[in-house]
Amino acid sequence: MNNNPSPLSGLHFEIEKTLPNGLGRAGIIKTAHGEIKTPAFMTVGTHGYVRFLSADDLHELDAQAMLSNGYHLRRESPTIAAAGGLAEWQPDRQDGLDNSPWLGPTITDSGGFQVMSLGSGLGKVVSMEKERHVSNTAHKERLAHVSEKGVSFQDPFDGQPDFIGPEESMQIQCRIGADIHMAFDELTSLADTYEYNIEAMERTERWAERSLREHLKHRDVLGYRQNLYAVLQGGRWEDLRRRTAQNLAKMQVDGIEFDGFGLGGAFLKEDLGEILRWCNEELPAEKPRHLLGLSHPDDIFIGTEMGADTFDCVAPMREARHGKIYTKDGNLNLRQFRDSGATLDAGCDCATCRAGWTLGSLRALWRSGDPAKKAQYYRLASAHNLRFIVRLTEEIRDSLLHDEFEQYKHGFLRRYYHN
Ligand SMILES: [Zn+2]
């Protein structure tokens, strides 16, 4: 996996092709633990491993990178550092699978989203009709309190008071040692006002500078370069999005800039493309951009078209656990496939489909009261759904490289959303 000549030379991003709109592109991100060919989907392993899938399973489905969470791994972070970092750590798995380390490129989220969404009902994307149900975090009892210093919160498991600010987040992430880190930011909800978004965005920029300063002290401690992305907020307002993109693009500490950018915030699906366009028109083209927490095919297409390079989301696995199976003709609900001998998705190259599993046989495992059979179902269904999204990004990449993005996009989306 080590194909970077100098482990401390830092992240390198090479753009291979750009869409006529000047934003969407295909490229290669080079890290100390290997390459990520973009656009790419990063598999979510919140606790340092992907639930129900071993490292071998991830390689089998051609996963390129794993995203873990600074908040969830904060207590294990000293142990992870002692192991040489996340890519070499053997997690204490709760699912009984082989705990060989992942070895490839890794990324961590700052944990800001997790601590700030404790008890608040913050969500990533909602459709228009659901908007009114999103509670205004300011009016709801929260387990987290935001101040200039950072976020104080109650641990949801033991009720103990805890605190994470930009410095703590950088120290935790540098102990975990992923190749790419996210600066500590404040996520607003769709119900927050323009005025509150200005306040949160300006605080996020001050936190970004503190993150960058602290990160510089620790980024080489494990013997390879750990890179830092700034996170853009600003809600759904063009002036805020463009302004914060400009500010973060030129931000420096001791002559050092951010290595890339995280595109953050809660989005209405309808607004996603416009918001990404505002951000990415201002950001420097030569640095990579990660769209945080989205993976549905329409989001990946609009994200790629508007200049996002990498994606992550728990949805493919969470939806698999709920019996939702991804197919090129739309998603299936396993409930409706009792005794069905049909394949999951004709032509799918995942390990589950290659082994001949049918909708009916998977459904029987899923509905079984036997925990071992349920775990087997989770593994088989997660592998299929993840491979579906990974293959989608591979095919989008190919279409970009061959100047066929528009045709591929229309063909895929017409079929997928036809039902
Ligand atoms: Zn499959």
Side-chain angles (χ1 to χ4, degrees), residues 344-345 348-354 383-385 387 391:
L344 279 60
D345 187 17
C348 178
D349 59 357
C350 86
T352 306
C353 291
R354 288 202 323 268
H384 170 82
N385 278 3
R387 177 65 197 142
R391 188 174 57 233

